[in-house]
Each structure stands twice: as structure tokens, then as C-alpha cells.
Amino acid sequence: MTNDYVAEILRATGTLRSGDPDGVTAIVQNALALAGLTGSGGGIVAGDPGRSTKMPQASLPGLGLTEHHSSRTGRLRKPLGEVIRSLQEGGKGLKLEGLPGLGRPLQAPEMPLPDGAQFLDQRYSCAAGARRYRLYVPSTAGEGLQGLIVMLHGCTQNPEDFAAGTGMNALAEEHRLLVAYPAQTGGDNSMSCWNWFRPGDQMRDTGEPAIIAGLTESLRDQYAIPADRVFVAGLSAGGAMAAIMGETYPELYGAIGVHSGLAYGSANDAMSAFAVMRGQPGIAPVPSRKPGGGLEAGPRLIVFHGSADTTVHPSNAERIIAGKGGSGEQISQSAPGAAGGIRGYTRLVTKRKDGTHTIESWLIEGAQHAWSGGHPSGSYTDPRGPDASAAMVRFFLHGTSDLAEA
């Protein structure tokens, strides 16, 4: 099995014509059975954010990893072409259009801009490749920018959708921040996922990390952003890539935010990606090698995850935190759900002697695979909060997500 197996399966299903999720699920399950793959549960490889439909969770993962593939090569018992033919033949007369989150990014409306603000559509190129990106420049930029946040969207999303859903531009206007939204397209991954599970995209100076780092450096230098005020955050596959950026370019980012993502080095192909997303151990974690010293060196970290996430199992948040080590006072804080449906949460903090937080982990009660506190104009958002965007910005700028301490 190649790393592009799941992407090819999704591309094949995207050619079907169906409005019947159960029918499409049966087709995909039959195809996987032909390929020697059985089981149920899990989520889409590459951290595809799921919506309310259960079709992605029920149909694609849940692979019999031990029985049906080599642990080193992941070879299928049946060739991919046979699987695709089964999908095509079984899908006659069905429709996929209208199934949210399957191959077609939401066309989010352009958000209104304050007078003097800009939401630029630009492109960055380097030896490792090129990406389109949107750049929010606040109307108060002339008074001095306070930082740069690089926002990495999830699967099937695009920069405009992600900006609308996270509401990060409004926070950027309030705090005089520059926000960049790199775009992963169908040409780079058929579901527009950042390729967090491919070895070539988990290393410094190559692949997608090199592109994102080069874009970050160019904006930092162009807009004279202080070196310690550069941050990266992402959702799902974008969250996994943000974790990779923190490990491969620790000197570049002052802090990273991972929402519903996965730990650095937790997968090296499609099969190990499926496993770790389902909460299984995946591959052995890779010790981080950071310029200047041990495992505790590197950017500060804030993590959000929903306790009811069936696409990326909540145990992945624990794995991210465990991989960072950390020293200092450990504080656990729980907040029950409030009247009006606001979700409760448990927050674990590693606090330094100077009062700043080196690690924060938020587990949101009952939340699924969606940006906590996000706006419904974007995809994969949970408006019931708490507000992950506001907490991240406070953590990035002030070393704590506590409003009273910020």
C-alpha cells in the first residue's frame, strides 16, 4: 500500500453520483472487503474533519491492520485498481453530491473587512514547492504589528473557509496581528489535507514543512515581526502539521496550537495513520531533535480536543502532550457546562515559575471533530465553545489563556 492509497479511494468515491450516505457506505465497505480490509470505526486518514454525517467514519477506516497487511509495507491483498473498479461499478445510479466534507471545500463567503484592513490573495514559491495563501493585514498595522499566526486548515477546507470558521481575522484586528492561511489543494492531496503522515513531509528542509517555514520566514522578515512573536496553529490534518512545524523548526515559532490533531511522528504511512487516528498506538514515537538541547526545548504548546471526537481519537491529545515532556507546576482546572448549552471542559496546565504556561491542554466535554467556539459560517465548527481562537491568541501573546492573567 502506498501513502496515497486513501486519497485514491476518496478520489474514486468522489466520482460517484449519490445522495444516499448508507448506500455509499455499503459500496466502500464492499470495496474494502475485496481488498482484504475489514472492520469499522475510526476516521478519514490524513485527519479529514468529519461533520454530522457518519459516512466517513463508518466507511473508510477500521482496517484489519494486523491480519491484512505487512507492518512494514502495508501491502493489500487486492490491487488498488480492483478496489476502484468495485467503487465505480457499485456506485451506478447513486449520487455523492450533497454529502458534506467529501472532496469539495465549503465555499465560504468573503467576510466584511474593517476600513483599512486587507485580506490579500498571494502565492509563495521556494525550491520545495509553492502554495497559494490568504493574508490578513489589520487596519492598525501601521501602529506596529504584535505578531504573526500561520493557520493551517483541515481536510476539504480552504483558507477562506478556515478564516470564517475560526474568526481569527477579527482577533487579528483587535490585537494587531498578521494572519497567514496557506492553502493545500487537490493537486497536493485529493482531499486538500496536509500530508502529515508521509515521511517526506515530516522533515526539516523538505516537503511541506519547508514550504510553510519559508512562507513564515518571508512574512516575518517582510513585516518586521519580532522573532518570538511568530506562531503556528491548525485543525486536524492542519493541527498535525502544526505539531510537525514545532518539531522541525522549533527556533522559528514561539508557540504552536493544535486543535483535534495528532502528534509528530505518530504515523509514517496510511495504515499507521488509520491506527493512530482510531486511538491505537500507531508507530513508535520519534524523539524530537531540537537545536539547542533536549526534549523540553522548543515552542510553547496549547492543545484543544473534543472528548467525543470519532475522527481523531482524544487519546491523540494526550500523545501530543506526552511527547513534549515539560517541567513545572501541574494545574488541573475543570469548568462545568453552563446554561445555554456552553460546553464544559478540563484544562491541564504546566506552569513555569514566572507564571507563564509552557503547555496547556483543553479537553472539551461532548465536542466532536470541530473547532471549539467557531463560527457556523465556516465548516467543522462547534459554536458552543469555549472559544479556542481567543484562548490561543491569549496563550500566544501572553503565555497564558487566562483572560484575567493576560
Side-chain angles (χ1 to χ4, degrees):
M1 176 183 290
T2 68
N3 289 333
D4 293 327
Y5 167 73
V6 175
E8 290 302 316
I9 288 291
L10 291 171
R11 184 180 295 114
T13 60
T15 66
L16 304 179
R17 302 288 183 184
S18 173
D20 177 10
D22 293 333
V24 175
T25 295
I27 294 166
V28 179
Q29 287 174 333
N30 289 338
L32 294 178
L34 277 178
L37 304 172
T38 60
S40 63
I44 294 180
V45 77
D48 179 34
R51 296 207 190 180
S52 59
T53 174
K54 298 299 182 184
M55 179 269 180
Q57 286 77 15
S59 60
L60 290 172
L63 310 181
L65 302 181
T66 302
E67 298 177 359
H68 299 295
H69 82 291
S70 160
S71 62
R72 300 298 296 175
T73 64
R75 294 286 182 184
L76 291 176
R77 290 182 178 177
K78 297 290 183 179
L80 177 60
E82 195 166 332
V83 177
I84 294 177
R85 282 194 298 275
S86 173
L87 288 168
Q88 293 171 331
E89 292 170 3
K92 291 177 180 178
L94 298 177
K95 293 184 178 181
L96 265 181
E97 294 175 5
L99 288 180
L102 192 59
R104 289 189 358 184
L106 178 71
Q107 297 301 314
E110 285 282 348
M111 305 300 289
L113 291 175
D115 290 342
Q118 297 176 290
F119 197 29
L120 305 173
D121 194 345
Q122 300 187 330
R123 185 174 179 82
Y124 173 79
S125 299
C126 65
R131 292 295 187 278
R132 181 182 76 89
Y133 68 96
R134 296 300 296 266
L135 181 67
Y136 185 83
V137 183
S139 62
T140 53
E143 301 174 22
L145 291 166
Q146 298 300 303
L148 163 66
I149 303 177
V150 178
M151 294 286 288
L152 304 175
H153 63 72
C155 297
T156 78
Q157 293 183 308
N158 58 35
E160 295 78 14
D161 176 20
F162 198 39
T166 61
M168 196 60 78
N169 287 357
L171 289 165
E173 184 67 26
E174 178 183 351
H175 295 280
R176 297 208 311 272
L177 296 171
L178 197 68
V179 185
Y181 302 88
Q184 181 77 316
T185 68
D188 307 304
N189 178 291
S190 67
M191 294 293 288
S192 299
C193 308
W194 295 100
N195 292 302
W196 61 273
F197 58 96
R198 298 199 311 199
D201 292 307
Q202 298 177 7
M203 299 186 297
R204 186 183 178 97
D205 298 329
T206 188
E208 291 171 2
I211 299 171
I212 296 168
L215 170 60
T216 303
E217 292 172 339
S218 68
L219 291 174
R220 179 199 64 191
D221 296 345
Q222 179 182 351
Y223 287 89
I225 305 294
D228 62 345
R229 309 290 274 186
V230 178
F231 315 104
V232 60
L235 170 66
S236 193
M241 185 55 70
I244 290 172
M245 298 309 298
E247 295 292 334
T248 55
Y249 292 89
E251 79 287 358
L252 184 55
Y253 300 101
I256 62 175
V258 180
H259 200 312
S260 309
L262 302 104
Y264 170 76
S266 57
N268 61 5
D269 59 15
M271 298 308 296
S272 57
F274 272 116
V276 73
M277 289 177 65
R278 295 173 64 199
Q280 297 175 10
I283 66 172
V286 179
S288 111
R289 296 177 175 84
K290 304 179 176 70
L295 294 175
E296 295 180 11
R300 294 177 291 112
L301 171 67
I302 185 169
V303 175
F304 281 80
H305 215 112
S307 68
D309 192 334
T310 56
T311 301
V312 177
H313 193 275
S315 62
N316 285 283
E318 300 173 8
R319 187 182 179 111
I320 295 169
I321 297 301
K324 294 297 290 184
S327 62
E329 181 185 3
Q330 297 282 331
I331 301 172
S332 181
Q333 176 191 49
S334 295
I342 301 301
R343 297 189 187 279
Y345 61 88
T346 299
R347 177 170 166 254
L348 180 64
V349 171
T350 301
K351 195 169 185 178
R352 294 169 172 163
K353 291 182 179 179
D354 64 0
T356 61
H357 299 176
T358 181
I359 299 173
E360 286 197 20
S361 177
W362 294 60
L363 184 65
I364 314 301
E365 294 177 2
Q368 299 185 16
H369 197 66
W371 190 273
S372 181
H375 194 276
S377 61
S379 64
Y380 316 126
T381 61
D382 180 5
R384 292 174 60 185
D387 190 338
S389 296
M392 282 187 184
V393 168
R394 290 196 296 269
F395 180 81
F396 290 164
L397 296 180
H398 304 291
T400 174
S401 64
D402 288 327
L403 183 59
E405 297 181 26

